[in-house]
Amino acid sequence: GAVVSQHPSRVICKSGTSVKIECRSLDFQATTMFWYRQFPKQSLMLMATSNEGSKATYEQGVEKDKFLINHASLTLSTLTVTSAHPEDSSFYICSARNTGGKTEAFFGQGTRLTVV
Amino acid sequence: AQSVTQPDIHITVSEGASLELRCNYSYGATPYLFWYVQSPGQGLQLLLKYFSGDTLVQGIKGFEAEFKRSQSSFNLRKPSVHWSDAAEYFCAVVGSGNTGKLIFGQGTTLQVKP
């Protein structure tokens, strides 16, 4: 199956700093990528839909100025957590949908963000 | 609105026993349904999917699932569980509009007893 690479897998940052997470589709083109957040022992919550060449679509309650999403190419989307706070600590997962295929989504390995 | 319900938060089975994880969905049209597995600290791996056709779908690692429209269910089954199957299992449906946006159930934690 298709491969989605997410980097970094773990990151620790200080409060007030910004952190960038990358999501790459390695062997296919993805016009649409998705960013999820997962709290411990909980399900995945969709944060936003990232569209190549256009603005991301954010889910209700997600602060677009805090979670900046850029999808500059067909193989790369980035999520930047700006001015991070301890409550932003979470597991962030991206997924990518193959442009030419059906609606199957492939997931990255996830990024564990800890804000201290 | 579309939704997915996994009624069982936690299930424990003995190694070698059969397994069934329940999933119910709410969706007006023909759904695209998925089962994913997640190991601790990892991303999600697709076990199987249903788009159309045969309602019994086979997946990886010996898993299968059956789509039952009359019951709005897509239960995951495995005849004989292995210790390595212990993980979190998520059922998901694609939301309307063919955006590819997945709506996930709450997840079921599977514990396997030796």
Side-chain angles (χ1 to χ4, degrees), chain A residues 36-46 90-91 93, chain B residues 4 6 9 38 44 88-92 102-108:
Chain A
Y36 295 84
R37 182 174 182 176
Q38 186 179 31
F39 291 102
K41 304 294 183 182
Q42 294 191 26
S43 188
L44 283 75
M45 180 191 78
L46 180 65
S90 193
F91 193 59
I93 307 176
Chain B
V4 177
Q6 293 179 246
I9 303 298
Q38 183 182 33
L44 275 67
E88 189 80 13
Y89 290 81
F90 293 98
C91 181
L102 285 171
I103 299 168
F104 286 89
Q106 304 91 322
T108 297

Side-chain angles (χ1 to χ4, degrees), chain A residues 54-75:
Chain A
S54 64
K55 292 183 178 180
T57 304
Y58 290 82
E59 296 298 304
Q60 191 173 7
V62 178
E63 299 176 62
K64 61 180 181 181
D65 294 329
K66 180 163 190 62
F67 298 100
L68 299 179
I69 291 172
N70 184 279
H71 194 154
S73 77
L74 285 171
T75 59

